[in-house]
Amino acid sequence: MIAADPPRYPVESRRKHEQGTVVLLVILGTDGKVADISISRSSGFDRLDKAALSAVRHWKWSPTRRDGAPVMVRGLVEIPFVLQT
């Protein structure tokens, strides 16, 4: 991972005490940037899902290489939203 700003907890979700984990299916391009992203498992709250998508869409990884050449890869990213008391 090269760059990853954490998602912001939506204010309205905090007010409503919404918590959950979003699981995202991420496809990384040969440059290490997100080429495609989708929700594999919802948190159950649209605001949390959107916050996770918005943040992870801008993350960047070191390119994955096979036989010295960069390749596209896919994987799952879990984003937990947990309110601290």
Side-chain angles (χ1 to χ4, degrees):
M1 171 103 31
I2 294 174
D5 289 331
R8 291 185 175 194
Y9 213 121
V11 173
E12 188 65 18
S13 292
R14 284 183 186 275
R15 283 190 195 123
K16 294 187 175 193
H17 302 285
E18 296 173 347
Q19 299 185 90
T21 298
V22 184
V23 180
L24 302 172
L25 175 61
V26 178
I27 298 174
L28 299 180
T30 56
D31 59 358
K33 293 181 181 176
V34 175
D36 192 30
I37 188 171
S38 61
I39 296 173
S40 176
R41 189 178 74 227
S42 172
S43 66
F45 299 101
D46 190 53
R47 278 182 291 273
L48 299 181
D49 295 348
K50 287 180 179 177
L53 282 167
S54 178
V56 175
R57 184 173 281 121
H58 300 288
W59 288 8
K60 184 166 177 162
W61 285 262
S62 296
T64 300
R65 297 183 177 277
R66 287 198 189 115
D67 298 323
V71 294
M72 292 183 78
V73 294
R74 71 176 173 174
L76 297 175
V77 175
E78 289 189 19
I79 305 293
F81 287 93
V82 179
L83 291 169
Q84 304 297 320
T85 55

